[in-house]
Amino acid sequence: MKQNKGAMPRGIKLRLKVFLYFAFFTAMILLILWLFQTMFLSDIYENIKLKELYRSADTVTANIESDELQSITESVARKNELCILVISPSGRTLASAEALNNCVIHKISYREHAKLYLEAKETGNSVLGRFRYDMQTGSFISVNDNSMTEEECMILTKILKNSNGEDITVFINSVLTPVGATVKTLNTMLLFITAILIVLAVTVSLIMSNSISKPIVKITDSAKTLSRGTYIPSGAKKSCREISQLSDTLDNVSLELQKNEALKRELIANISHDLRTPLTMITGYSEVMRDIPDEITPENLQIIIDESKRLSYLVNDVLEISKLQSGNITLNLEEFNLTEALRETVVRYEKMTEHNGNRFVFNYDTDVTITADKQRILQVLYNLINNAVTYTGADKTVFIVQRVVNKNGEKCVRVEISDSGEGIPQEALPYIWDRYYKVDKYHRRSQTGSGLGLSIVKTIIEMHRGAYGVHSTIGQGSTFWIELNEPTSTKANTE
Ligand code: ADP
């Protein structure tokens, strides 16, 4: 479909898209930072403190009867900034460590200790309390709400029994500092971070989109020149592998298109040349016979018939190859005796070329039946035998050999068609299977085939998943071969 000249292509620009992704990414990071730093900070802080408290309590209680209790208590207190007091039922201090200035458990009276002990007893041998220091009364009052505005302390009271069955009480005191000030600082920092991230997002997205979109725009521009038939390589900076691949692909496409264009021109020149020769002959001879009645001879009429046949062969070949290569052909598979088909073909050729003195030698090891498209396989054999007849040497002999060979552990049937002609130069061998390729471009064209024969052979054999090839020695002749898979049945040749 044609695109309107000034019409804007759909979709948003890459630059904007990259920027939007970055903006979204930045917004997400900021949101996460904000949530963690302001909303949840206090909860996370209290949680960490609580975990520390319980972990320390576990360490102390696990060593309650150890001789090292005092040093363990001190080390735990120092490490976690806690105050710890372990007392016996009689109020005797078993271990004590003070790593805080404003510690409560070391300041309160024995009575308060007893209160906490009783509370813990009631609530399953463990109780956690929160206290605030009252400056006016100089005492600690317990806090019940969760809003922390001033410094608070948390006391964990744990009761456990020693080996004598006596209650040992462990008090652990931790301090909670209000996070309000920290949140304020973090919020100010967050503002700075936001500004920096926005600048960074814009810069990085600009750099990224430039390094991606600019080369793409250049490549698109040069692709547009391709459609006009005047390709100018983009010369785009190959900032990444994909872009470099895209640019290379476009360059290759342009090369292929140029090659195809040249081929197309050559093809039209070839076909018109090949069509012109017989047409000129037919017109020429017909005019002569019209003007000079004496020239109406069987020989002249034969020339017209031969040239008309050549024309129809040529047109048939052109139609056949375009049909085959369009990919719309399905093989008409049937089981048939290949050896028999070869034998009949040879007999027909012998009759056809009787007057030329051509000789055909057919050898085979076994009688082979295969499943294939019989008409197309016959077409392959005709094309190869035709070429051998055309190019064979002075002895005018064509050798046809059919044998069953073992290929990668599988049986296949191989047909070889050899002539003793002038052979094909080594450098031309890879190209003879191409459409319209002729080794001797100038001398042979007017007298032989369309230049399509081997291309038809190649396409048909490939459709049958078979193999094909050629051996040729200059001055000695050529052997063309085809291989078809899995003969259905074989019967040894006893002749
Ligand atoms: P053509 O119709 O021109 O023979 P083909 O596709 O059959 O076209 O063959 C392509 C070219 O390969 C021929 O033009 C010829 O140069 C070369 N060629 C094919 N078969 C033989 C052969 N048996 N001996 C020598 N050259 C051959």
Side-chain angles (χ1 to χ4, degrees):
M1 209 170 64
K2 259 192 177 174
Q3 196 185 311
N4 287 346
K5 249 197 171 165
M8 278 288 285
R10 267 181 281 161
I12 58 168
K13 275 193 160 183
L14 182 73
R15 188 172 299 176
L16 182 61
K17 201 159 189 173
V18 172
F19 173 71
L20 286 179
Y21 277 129
F22 264 93
F24 176 73
F25 181 66
T26 313
M28 279 297 138
I29 289 192
L30 288 172
L31 181 72
I32 293 168
L33 273 176
W34 181 77
L35 279 179
F36 275 81
Q37 289 192 350
T38 56
M39 301 278 285
F40 306 138
L41 186 67
S42 164
D43 290 342
I44 294 170
Y45 170 66
E46 278 183 43
N47 229 316
I48 293 172
K49 281 287 186 184
L50 262 179
K51 274 204 179 124
E52 258 175 30
L53 207 62
Y54 279 108
R55 217 181 305 124
S56 306
D58 286 346
T59 316
V60 173
T61 50
N63 292 287
I64 205 75
E65 287 189 300
S66 155
D67 294 340
E68 308 286 308
L69 180 63
Q70 177 57 32
S71 64
I72 290 168
T73 308
E74 276 172 16
S75 121
V76 170
R78 220 179 309 118
K79 215 170 97 195
N80 301 306
E81 291 187 3
L82 301 166
C83 284
I84 304 172
L85 184 65
V86 185
I87 54 174
S88 70
S90 57
R92 191 167 60 87
T93 303
L94 299 175
S96 165
E98 227 178 317
L100 291 170
N101 290 332
N102 35 10
C103 162
V104 177
I105 48 166
H106 285 90
K107 290 203 179 95
I108 52 178
S109 61
Y110 178 69
R111 258 187 56 217
E112 298 282 337
H113 283 156
K115 237 171 94 185
L116 285 172
Y117 164 81
L118 286 174
E119 256 182 67
K121 219 38 191 168
E122 272 171 28
T123 51
N125 289 335
S126 172
V127 70
L128 182 74
R130 283 172 71 163
F131 300 86
R132 192 175 297 152
Y133 186 68
D134 187 349
M135 298 280 273
Q136 281 167 352
T137 56
S139 62
F140 287 91
I141 46 176
S142 63
V143 185
N144 293 321
D145 62 283
N146 256 351
S147 59
M148 188 182 20
T149 47
E150 304 166 35
E151 199 173 77
E152 285 177 10
C153 63
M154 280 194 298
I155 297 174
L156 173 69
T157 310
K158 258 191 130 172
I159 305 168
L160 65 153
K161 291 214 181 302
N162 66 6
S163 48
N164 300 331
E166 297 165 335
D167 279 348
I168 305 292
T169 317
V170 178
F171 298 103
I172 305 187
N173 187 162
S174 161
V175 167
L176 287 175
T177 321
V179 290
T182 319
V183 168
K184 258 191 192 160
T185 321
L186 288 176
N187 276 347
T188 320
M189 273 169 64
L190 209 60
L191 274 180
F192 282 113
I193 293 174
T194 310
I196 293 170
L197 277 182
I198 289 174
V199 173
L200 264 179
V202 174
T203 321
V204 173
S205 63
L206 275 180
I207 294 173
M208 265 188 77
S209 66
N210 267 357
S211 74
I212 297 170
S213 75
K214 264 197 183 156
I216 291 183
V217 170
K218 278 191 169 176
I219 293 172
T220 313
D221 285 344
S222 76
K224 283 180 190 157
T225 67
L226 188 70
S227 64
R228 291 198 291 269
T230 48
Y231 179 68
I232 306 165
S234 65
K237 227 167 83 191
K238 293 166 181 178
S239 49
C240 56
R241 197 188 299 166
E242 287 80 0
I243 289 187
S244 136
Q245 274 173 353
L246 182 63
S247 169
D248 291 349
T249 310
L250 200 65
D251 290 351
N252 287 339
V253 166
S254 126
L255 273 181
E256 284 303 313
L257 279 181
Q258 280 168 15
K259 265 197 234 158
N260 273 350
E261 193 57 32
L263 264 178
K264 210 166 75 188
R265 261 184 252 124
E266 198 187 318
L267 186 144
I268 292 171
N270 278 346
I271 297 184
S272 22
H273 182 278
D274 287 344
L275 290 175
R276 210 171 37 217
T277 319
L279 279 175
T280 317
M281 300 265 270
I282 294 168
T283 329
Y285 276 86
S286 312
E287 280 174 353
V288 167
M289 287 194 286
R290 182 196 61 196
D291 298 340
I292 313 165
D294 283 354
E295 287 294 322
I296 308 178
T297 60
E299 294 78 35
N300 284 352
L301 282 171
Q302 190 58 46
I303 290 177
I304 293 181
I305 293 170
D306 288 348
E307 290 304 315
S308 307
K309 271 191 192 154
R310 250 186 78 195
L311 256 184
S312 85
Y313 280 142
L314 196 73
V315 173
N316 278 346
D317 272 4
V318 173
L319 282 179
E320 183 66 19
I321 193 78
S322 62
K323 224 177 0 169
L324 282 173
Q325 295 193 337
S326 70
N328 293 332
I329 289 266
T330 42
L331 292 178
N332 194 2
L333 296 181
E334 60 180 306
E335 214 172 79
F336 69 96
N337 188 322
L338 177 71
T339 321
E340 190 57 42
L342 267 169
R343 218 180 282 125
E344 284 169 9
T345 310
V346 168
V347 169
R348 218 166 290 153
Y349 262 99
E350 274 169 345
K351 277 200 188 128
M352 233 160 54
T353 57
E354 233 169 14
H355 56 285
N356 288 337
N358 283 101
R359 217 164 61 84
F360 296 87
V361 181
F362 175 43
N363 282 312
Y364 66 98
D365 57 356
T366 48
D367 218 83
V368 166
T369 303
I370 58 167
T371 304
D373 188 325
K374 185 175 178 184
Q375 291 314 316
R376 297 206 185 281
I377 293 297
L378 282 180
Q379 197 177 357
V380 166
L381 299 173
Y382 273 115
N383 282 351
L384 293 180
I385 298 175
N386 253 340
N387 280 351
V389 171
T390 309
Y391 298 102
T392 194
D395 65 357
K396 293 197 170 185
T397 308
V398 173
F399 294 90
I400 299 142
V401 178
Q402 178 228 281
R403 55 199 167 91
V404 173
V405 292
N406 222 321
K407 205 173 170 194
N408 306 328
E410 277 183 28
K411 268 188 177 176
C412 67
V413 58
R414 182 180 169 105
V415 180
E416 292 179 352
I417 292 154
S418 315
D419 62 71
S420 54
E422 60 196 48
I424 305 165
Q426 210 61 28
E427 63 275 10
L429 285 180
Y431 307 108
I432 55 171
W433 308 92
D434 292 348
R435 278 185 298 177
Y436 297 105
Y437 185 85
K438 297 181 180 202
V439 176
D440 188 351
K441 286 194 180 219
Y442 305 100
H443 304 116
R444 289 266 186 184
R445 188 195 281 141
S446 58
Q447 41 170 303
T448 59
S450 58
L452 293 173
L454 291 182
S455 179
I456 293 175
V457 169
K458 167 185 159 176
T459 316
I460 293 177
I461 298 298
E462 277 173 356
M463 282 173 88
H464 281 85
R465 299 185 194 288
Y468 57 89
V470 59
H471 304 292
S472 192
T473 316
I474 291 290
Q476 287 183 23
S478 317
T479 299
F480 281 81
W481 59 265
I482 58 161
E483 279 172 359
L484 292 166
N485 297 330
E486 297 173 42
T488 327
S489 77
T490 54
K491 199 172 108 218
N493 179 15
T494 48
E495 284 169 30

